Amino acid sequence: MSGMCNDPPRSKIVSRSWALGLQFVLLSSLLLGTAVPTVDAGEGPTTPVSVAQEIDTLLERDWKSAGQRPADPATDAEFLRRVTLDLVGRIPTVAETRRFLVDQHPAKREALINDLMQSRGREWHSARVWRRIWMPRSEAPDFRRRAQSFDQWLSTEFAKGQRYDAIVRSLITASPTPAVAATDPTSADSASHKVTPALFLATSDFEPEQLAANSMRAFLGLNLDCAQCHDHPFSRWKQDQFWETAAFFARPSATEKGLADYTLTITGTDRQVAPRLLTGAPPQWPTVVDHQTGRRLLADWLTASDNSFFAKNAVNRYWASQFGQGLIEPLDDLSQPESALHPEVLQVLSDAFIASGFDVQFLAAVVVRTSWYQSTSRTNADGAVPLPMRVLTGEQLYDSLQVTAGMPPDRFDLEHSEKNWNRREAFVALFPNSESGDTERSRKQVLAMMNGAVTEGVTNPEASPLLVGLQAPFLDDTSRIEALFLAAYSRFPTENELKSCGDFLAASQHPERLSQLFWALLNSTEFNTNH
């Protein structure tokens, strides 16, 4: 292990008195804990617990018919790390881990879910998840600044209890600012909530054709792309249907009566089409028509509770973000229900989502309470279905690195610190959102984790709060190793790990040994994946 860390010499940047203070704070957080309160999960046919139980029954039935069975339950450590990553976007702190693992209350998982759903980072992380679902292009460098502004707006909407259908309406009917986007695509467009939702329009270049394709894909799970140029022989959708949908986003022109005229010319032809819903029905135009009427009419139909694609698409895409695979694959082809892996699960969860009033927090609360979510990702050969592993996103990885070192994630003061924002975004840009279920890192990403400035900072024995605290002379190596494993893996080390790491530290008491051991843990698959 001694050859695993080749970091350059580090200058001493902390005083001894400050280090002792950090040791005291760190040790207090490591050694002290309080019992987790119990939570009343509620009763009724559409509570998160009842819906999760119905889903469990359906999944077990489907697996049994396929000669499979559910995987074994996850350990408390596995569940704690996974649910914290999925609900707030980071791994748990050492204090949170120790407190949860030593608690013996049978309802502690329910209490943990409740605490995380109410925590400070919940809305922020949820905003990141849904933005990526709706607007994959927002991850591009040209949109990073505006994506941050959008995340702040969306997290505020979630915090206010805004529902999914209302938010989608805001995206489709936002006031466009094409002039600003064309001259400065990285502009944050100010903090105005009226402007920020226009990111959806901007990522489609404000073009009716792109907006039609992206809206149907993102919000209904329907792929109209193949119909843009011609009637595809194997597609349900025809060319006229594509352009009739795009016409809702057209820039209307004035008629003799002074009303806006919504028509769009099909590219490569002289034919013009008027807006028409995919159902074939013409929209019900109001007496007074303006430049947003078309988009408002489309949003009314798209977000209606009786539009089965709307709820099913949201459920399917969120399920894929949590399990690495949708209930229907591919995600943008819900018009082919025969491809559903678990059609009844999709229906039950969609119905519950509608009954909740399109509450995204309710959707998350159901998923994390299912038995499959709370099962292990460890594979075995007896027909069990393990939970899929997922690579950490760039944001999860950065914030988790901060947490392991005992530092708060920078995301909560980004608007106050340009330096913090630049450092975080430079790191995140190296880890673009990967495909669902992918657990591989590129060579560039591996090198960033091995030798990058962020890893250098959190493993610095003179600057990392964790490592500074662990140099206290009254700690033995067993306590130090336990703290490192709790920080990086959210679990205690095994006997074999304790022995091998103990032998490594015993070879030298130089602080660099702690740094090298910590570096090795952070560069492991166990740290870099959600499992």
Side-chain angles (χ1 to χ4, degrees):
M1 291 181 73
S2 59
M4 299 182 73
C5 184
N6 297 313
D7 296 335
R10 303 172 171 118
S11 60
K12 188 170 184 178
I13 60 174
V14 293
S15 68
R16 191 60 181 168
S17 60
W18 183 73
L20 290 174
L22 278 176
Q23 290 171 356
F24 176 78
V25 173
L26 175 68
L27 293 176
S28 296
S29 67
L30 291 177
L31 301 176
L32 299 179
T34 56
V36 179
T38 60
V39 174
D40 182 2
E43 298 179 355
T46 56
T47 63
V49 172
S50 63
V51 177
Q53 290 172 343
E54 187 173 1
I55 290 173
D56 290 337
T57 300
L58 294 171
L59 286 175
E60 289 185 26
R61 185 202 63 189
D62 290 350
W63 288 329
K64 184 177 181 180
S65 65
Q68 298 173 312
R69 68 170 182 83
D72 295 333
T75 65
D76 282 344
E78 287 177 312
F79 175 73
L80 169 66
R81 188 178 191 274
R82 179 187 307 154
V83 76
T84 307
L85 278 166
D86 285 335
L87 292 185
V88 297
R90 60 165 176 83
I91 63 174
T93 65
V94 172
E96 290 168 342
T97 300
R98 188 180 290 275
R99 183 168 58 245
F100 184 76
L101 295 184
V102 301
D103 183 25
Q104 298 300 312
H105 199 286
K108 68 178 184 179
R109 291 194 180 189
E110 184 67 27
L112 173 65
I113 292 171
N114 183 70
D115 288 344
L116 291 173
M117 293 292 292
Q118 302 298 322
S119 67
R120 186 184 183 192
R122 171 64 189 142
E123 289 84 9
W124 181 276
H125 179 63
S126 186
R128 291 269 186 173
V129 171
W130 284 105
R131 173 176 57 79
R132 280 175 160 164
I133 288 174
W134 296 326
M135 298 171 280
R137 192 184 172 195
S138 65
E139 293 292 287
D142 286 351
F143 289 99
R144 294 296 296 179
R145 281 285 188 177
R146 300 180 72 197
Q148 183 209 9
S149 178
F150 179 89
D151 291 345
Q152 291 172 337
W153 168 79
L154 186 56
S155 65
T156 301
E157 295 296 292
F158 284 147
K160 293 189 302 186
Q162 189 64 279
R163 299 312 200 211
Y164 180 85
D165 56 334
I167 293 171
V168 170
R169 283 185 59 85
S170 296
L171 303 186
I172 295 176
T173 63
S175 298
T177 54
V180 174
T183 57
D184 183 10
T186 64
S187 169
D189 282 349
S190 86
S192 170
H193 290 183
K194 293 183 180 179
V195 177
T196 303
L199 180 64
F200 180 74
L201 305 179
T203 55
S204 298
D205 297 325
F206 304 94
E207 293 295 334
E209 301 95 316
Q210 293 188 44
L211 284 165
N214 292 341
S215 296
M216 295 303 102
R217 184 186 298 107
F219 306 129
L220 295 185
L222 302 179
N223 187 347
L224 271 62
D225 296 42
C226 290
Q228 180 173 354
C229 300
H230 54 81
D231 289 342
H232 196 283
F234 303 113
S235 175
R236 170 180 175 179
W237 313 110
K238 305 305 180 184
Q239 185 182 29
D240 280 2
Q241 289 178 296
F242 176 90
W243 288 97
E244 288 167 351
T245 302
F248 283 101
F249 296 97
R251 299 175 180 88
S253 57
T255 67
E256 294 180 357
K257 297 181 180 180
L259 302 179
D261 182 28
Y262 279 84
T263 59
L264 196 63
T265 302
I266 298 178
T267 299
T269 74
D270 295 327
R271 289 199 303 125
Q272 287 190 329
V273 295
R276 183 179 291 270
L277 302 174
L278 286 179
T279 59
Q284 300 298 311
W285 294 95
T287 303
V288 179
V289 178
D290 60 30
H291 287 258
Q292 289 181 304
T293 301
R295 287 184 283 136
R296 281 197 295 267
L297 290 174
L298 181 64
D300 288 343
W301 168 76
L302 190 149
T303 62
S305 59
D306 60 354
N307 186 341
S308 62
F309 290 125
F310 183 64
K312 286 182 178 179
N313 172 71
V315 165
N316 194 48
R317 288 185 180 275
Y318 186 75
W319 186 277
S321 75
Q322 301 303 291
F323 294 104
Q325 185 178 34
L327 292 163
I328 287 185
E329 289 284 347
L331 299 179
D332 58 0
D333 199 8
L334 264 63
S335 61
Q336 304 296 327
E338 64 275 7
S339 64
L341 302 175
H342 302 285
E344 290 184 67
V345 173
L346 180 63
Q347 189 65 55
V348 165
L349 194 50
S350 298
D351 290 343
F353 185 45
I354 295 172
S356 74
F358 296 107
D359 184 356
V360 294
Q361 306 292 17
F362 178 88
L363 184 57
V366 170
V367 169
V368 298
R369 285 177 169 90
T370 61
S371 294
W372 194 32
Y373 182 89
Q374 297 194 28
S375 65
T376 185
S377 61
R378 295 187 299 273
T379 57
N380 49 48
D382 61 356
V385 182
L387 194 76
M389 294 173 59
R390 292 162 285 152
V391 69
L392 299 189
T393 65
E395 290 90 354
Q396 287 176 324
L397 189 57
Y398 182 88
D399 290 338
S400 295
L401 285 169
Q402 295 288 105
V403 168
T404 60
M407 297 181 284
D410 288 341
R411 57 182 169 173
F412 294 130
D413 68 340
L414 294 181
E415 64 272 26
H416 304 302
S417 174
E418 187 72 12
K419 180 180 179 182
N420 285 347
W421 192 89
N422 289 335
R423 178 179 59 198
R424 188 177 196 271
E425 292 305 303
F427 179 88
V428 169
L430 295 173
F431 297 84
N433 199 28
S434 60
E435 295 296 324
S436 296
D438 184 15
T439 58
E440 298 294 325
R441 293 286 193 203
S442 69
R443 182 177 301 177
K444 188 176 183 179
Q445 292 168 346
V446 170
L447 291 174
M449 280 296 297
M450 292 176 64
N451 304 311
V454 175
T455 305
E456 162 80 11
V458 300
T459 59
N460 188 331
E462 297 181 328
S464 168
L466 173 67
L467 297 181
V468 169
L470 291 182
Q471 294 172 48
F474 48 82
L475 285 177
D476 59 21
D477 284 348
T478 296
S479 298
R480 295 185 176 101
I481 295 168
E482 282 188 353
L484 290 176
F485 271 75
L486 288 169
Y489 293 164
S490 307
R491 65 172 176 83
F492 289 101
T494 64
E495 290 186 8
N496 287 338
E497 289 168 336
L498 197 58
K499 183 181 185 307
S500 61
C501 293
D503 291 343
F504 175 75
L505 292 182
S508 172
Q509 292 302 310
H510 194 280
E512 194 69 26
R513 283 270 164 165
L514 278 175
S515 173
Q516 292 172 350
L517 177 56
F518 194 32
W519 180 93
L521 297 180
L522 298 181
N523 278 280
S524 66
T525 299
E526 183 168 352
F527 178 77
N528 279 267
T529 55
N530 188 349
H531 48 78

